[in-house]
Amino acid sequence: MISANNVTYRVGKKALFEDVSIKFTEGNCYGIIGANGAGKSTFLKILSNELETTSGDIAMTPGQRMSVLEQDHFKYEEYPVMDVVIMGNQRLYEIMKEKDALYAKEDFTDADGIKASELEGEFAEMDGWEAESNAATLLNGLGISEDLHYSLMSTLNGNEKVKVLLARALFGSPDILLLDEPTNHLDLDAIDWLEEFLINFENTVIVVSHDRYFLNKVCTHIADIDYGKIQLYAGNYDFWYESSQLLIRQMKEANKKKEEKIKELQEFISRFSANASKSKQATSRKRALEKIELDEIKPSSRKYPYIDFRPDREIGNEVLEVKNLSKTIDGVKVLDNISFIMNHDDKIAFVGGNEHAKTTLFRILMGELEPDEGSYKWGVTTSRAYFPMDYTAEFDNDYTIADWLMGYSPVDDITYVRGFLGRMLFAGEDGIKKVRVLSGGEKVRCLLSKMMISGANVLIFDEPTNHLDMESITALNNGMIKFPGVELFSCRDHQLVQTTANRIMEILPNGTLIDKMTTYDEYLASDEMARKRTVYTAADTDTEEA
């Protein structure tokens, strides 16, 4: 168990938290939610003692082990992947290294033998003989192939490093597990594996996430941070939303009844206060009036952008035809003879772990890359807007936000442009901020403003929810559902994919395509998908053996 007792944390004169008391008990998974800047990550750092409280304290059951998801992806560059995972249980890792050092000594003494025996006993008690096997299971579940298990961290790409650090946090069944945005940079398959892991995890989990489906799947409780306070709700994210809305409605209804009573008392007092025969009753009602207090209903600190993609032109029946498209990059065939026809009402989600292939296909369709073989053709009525995965170059300049968006506006009017920025929560002085210094979330909102202002009838999104808070993801999800044009997109947010897509495509590791007219949940449950994956895996194994 871990608890915060009357915790206050100040940054300068501002209190981020004030007199917060909350208890996290064994066997439960707590989702920490709140608007950007509410202090979700800060609260996790307070719980892990990375930050000291201004007042109050954190208490943890003696002897329990806490594990925290590391955020520094370059911290362990010179260590093998397997070592980094086992470091999740620091004492076990120390025993392993101490044993190795003892057995490597040339002058092994009797004292060394006694020490080694003690270490072996502790090692066995900590299930040390299964450590590498357990670490490998975690790595495999998260999509780190066995050929990387003993590679140096420095040889892995960014997404692989994230997965290794997550495996490190999960290793060894910690008593208390703190996870800050664990689904970031995970593909949907890895997220699905993590969900099942946490559902079956028997100890305490405290997780910050902007993934609504993930919170619904794994959480037994929601801790909502708003105005420096934390309100605990039993149930998952959807239950929190319904409960919080119900609470507000009940408070409003109670206030309405109180206001009606206040009006009734005031009218009586005004009418009879000068009447001698009614003076006692008027005085009594004055006392009753003084006792009535309206409940203070603070508006939430959450802010939702308004995302509304409106095409300037209705799309025709001929949208996109892709014929026998192939592309090899750095010796790897990422697209192999891909063909499909896109219909005028399609919203296609590209799923699966082959992230590089999805990005390559989108870049080819946008004219940024040439295919090695095959062709594609857009319909004459189509106009396209693109959200790239890597948008670094887009903001490598000294434009203000307003000037940057003016460069894409079909209307030469700053007021028109500021209207789109206002929808995306850029108000007042925000328009003169330089795009170079924007946060990740602000840059994403700029790109979405650019797509809205384009009036395109074809939208292509490559992981648009990275860096967005839950409110912005919800707004984007709603905007994509309402959009009357066609969409091609990849996204790690399960709920967005499930509620938006009517067609699912998966590019397998060998570059071939599965294409199904179905929802995402139906696709995951389909026997055909499981069969094709099994066939692919077997064929791949046969090839390796040959």
Side-chain angles (χ1 to χ4, degrees):
M1 185 198 76
I2 185 170
S3 61
N5 306 305
N6 299 313
V7 165
T8 295
Y9 181 78
R10 295 184 181 277
V11 180
K13 294 183 179 180
K14 180 184 176 183
L16 197 56
F17 301 106
E18 194 150 23
D19 295 327
V20 167
S21 293
I22 186 170
K23 183 183 294 184
F24 304 98
T25 57
E26 186 177 348
N28 291 316
C29 179
Y30 299 85
I32 309 291
I33 64 170
N36 263 6
K40 301 183 293 294
S41 296
T42 300
F43 187 66
L44 285 193
K45 290 178 180 178
I46 291 171
L47 291 176
S48 65
N49 288 319
E50 187 178 338
L51 291 176
E52 290 187 11
T53 64
T54 304
S55 62
D57 63 86
I58 303 299
M60 194 168 97
T61 302
Q64 291 198 332
R65 183 171 70 86
M66 176 187 288
S67 185
V68 180
L69 176 58
E70 296 266 8
Q71 300 297 315
D72 183 355
H73 302 162
F74 303 99
K75 185 175 179 179
Y76 301 100
E77 292 290 88
E78 301 309 312
Y79 290 91
V81 167
M82 184 61 68
D83 281 24
V84 173
V85 176
I86 295 175
M87 283 179 192
N89 187 334
Q90 190 61 37
R91 178 53 189 159
L92 177 60
Y93 183 73
E94 289 169 356
I95 291 171
M96 292 174 66
K97 291 305 171 185
E98 196 171 350
K99 279 174 50 188
D100 291 345
L102 278 174
Y103 292 138
K105 290 177 68 174
E106 293 182 3
D107 54 341
F108 192 82
T109 65
D110 289 343
D112 291 332
I114 294 171
K115 181 63 176 175
S117 177
E118 292 172 352
L119 291 173
E120 291 289 4
E122 191 176 354
F123 183 72
E125 286 179 7
M126 299 180 75
D127 203 21
W129 296 111
E130 302 298 323
E132 291 196 10
S133 174
N134 292 338
T137 298
L138 294 172
L139 290 168
N140 291 335
L142 289 168
I144 300 296
S145 57
E146 290 186 6
D147 60 303
L148 296 176
H149 289 190
Y150 293 91
S151 302
L152 291 179
M153 286 287 285
S154 58
T155 65
L156 272 56
N157 65 37
N159 287 354
E160 290 166 342
K161 289 176 182 176
V162 169
K163 291 179 178 181
V164 173
L165 292 179
L166 180 54
R168 178 188 183 278
L170 303 178
F171 178 76
S173 193
D175 300 292
I176 298 166
L177 181 58
L178 304 185
L179 301 175
D180 191 356
E181 300 290 4
T183 61
N184 278 2
H185 307 292
L186 295 187
D187 56 72
L188 287 165
D189 288 339
I191 293 173
D192 185 58
W193 179 89
L194 178 61
E195 288 167 356
E196 292 304 316
F197 180 93
L198 294 178
I199 287 169
N200 294 308
F201 189 73
E202 295 180 350
N203 298 328
T204 305
V205 182
I206 305 172
V207 57
V208 170
S209 178
H210 59 245
D211 189 321
R212 299 157 295 169
Y213 182 89
F214 178 79
L215 292 174
N216 274 332
K217 196 84 180 284
V218 305
C219 289
T220 60
H221 295 75
I222 294 293
D224 179 28
I225 301 177
D226 215 351
Y227 292 105
K229 302 293 183 183
I230 302 182
Q231 180 71 39
L232 189 63
Y233 296 81
N236 62 13
Y237 177 78
D238 281 349
F239 187 84
W240 160 79
Y241 184 79
E242 293 298 329
S243 298
S244 60
Q245 295 303 304
L246 176 61
L247 182 62
I248 291 172
R249 286 197 299 272
Q250 288 174 338
M251 291 173 69
K252 286 182 177 178
E253 288 171 4
N255 275 354
K256 185 178 179 181
K257 290 179 181 178
K258 289 178 183 178
E259 286 168 352
E260 290 172 353
K261 185 64 176 177
I262 288 170
K263 184 178 179 182
E264 177 189 323
L265 292 173
Q266 286 175 335
E267 287 177 351
F268 186 92
I269 293 166
S270 175
R271 185 177 177 185
F272 296 109
S273 58
N275 188 321
S277 64
K278 298 280 188 177
S279 62
K280 285 186 178 181
Q281 290 173 287
T283 302
S284 175
R285 280 165 172 73
K286 281 182 182 179
R287 293 197 196 98
L289 181 61
E290 290 168 357
K291 292 178 181 178
I292 297 177
E293 292 184 4
L294 296 177
D295 293 322
E296 183 183 8
I297 305 175
K298 283 187 177 181
S300 173
S301 58
R302 293 174 173 82
K303 294 182 179 179
Y304 290 83
Y306 179 68
I307 298 178
D308 186 20
F309 304 105
R310 296 185 181 181
D312 293 334
R313 180 181 184 180
E314 187 176 349
I315 202 164
N317 289 326
E318 294 183 1
V319 180
L320 172 66
E321 184 176 10
V322 175
K323 285 186 177 180
N324 309 119
L325 213 62
S326 294
K327 182 68 177 179
T328 298
I329 297 178
D330 296 331
V332 178
K333 200 162 195 175
V334 294
L335 301 174
D336 187 9
N337 199 35
I338 285 178
S339 299
F340 64 89
I341 294 174
M342 190 170 190
N343 305 311
H344 72 281
D345 57 353
D346 280 347
K347 293 186 177 181
I348 303 176
F350 287 81
V351 303
N354 199 349
E355 188 174 273
H356 192 34
K358 291 178 276 188
T359 297
T360 299
L361 177 61
F362 291 161
R363 293 187 65 196
I364 289 173
L365 296 179
M366 287 303 297
E368 294 183 0
L369 287 176
E370 289 292 326
D372 297 334
E373 300 173 25
S375 62
Y376 65 93
K377 182 181 179 182
W378 288 103
V380 294
T381 63
T382 62
S383 56
R384 296 163 294 285
Y386 176 44
F387 185 105
M389 178 178 283
D390 182 4
Y391 43 78
T392 307
E394 185 78 68
F395 298 98
D396 188 17
N397 57 71
D398 291 317
Y399 288 126
T400 64
I401 297 176
D403 289 341
W404 177 86
L405 190 57
M406 273 292 290
Y408 299 105
S409 174
V411 178
D412 187 19
D413 180 357
I414 191 65
T415 303
Y416 178 77
V417 168
R418 286 186 181 277
F420 282 88
L421 291 176
R423 295 179 189 178
M424 298 306 293
L425 308 181
F426 294 110
E429 296 296 314
D430 287 339
I432 62 174
K433 287 174 70 173
K434 302 282 188 179
V435 295
R436 189 188 298 276
V437 301
L438 296 178
S439 68
E442 288 172 326
K443 288 176 179 177
V444 171
R445 286 188 275 125
C446 279
L447 289 170
L448 294 175
S449 298
K450 173 186 170 184
M451 296 181 79
M452 284 194 290
I453 211 169
S454 72
N457 55 24
V458 177
L459 303 180
I460 301 177
F461 298 94
D462 195 356
E463 301 296 346
T465 60
N466 291 351
H467 305 293
L468 287 183
D469 59 21
M470 198 176 297
E471 292 71 40
S472 296
I473 291 173
T474 300
L476 174 61
N477 193 169
N478 293 337
M480 291 176 68
I481 291 170
K482 291 190 300 181
F483 179 61
V486 302
E487 295 170 340
L488 301 91
F489 65 95
S490 64
C491 182
R492 296 185 179 93
D493 188 284
H494 186 120
Q495 187 165 332
L496 187 148
V497 175
Q498 168 60 20
T499 56
T500 303
N502 59 10
R503 186 174 178 183
I504 302 295
M505 292 188 182
E506 178 174 4
I507 304 174
L508 296 172
N510 63 354
T512 59
L513 182 72
I514 297 175
D515 179 4
K516 294 193 73 176
M517 296 294 297
T518 183
T519 66
Y520 183 53
D521 284 346
E522 290 169 343
Y523 178 73
L524 290 176
S526 69
D527 292 335
E528 183 180 353
M529 186 197 74
R531 180 181 60 78
K532 287 185 176 180
R533 281 183 167 164
T534 302
V535 169
Y536 169 74
T537 302
D540 190 49
T541 303
D542 292 343
T543 303
E544 289 176 1
E545 289 175 352

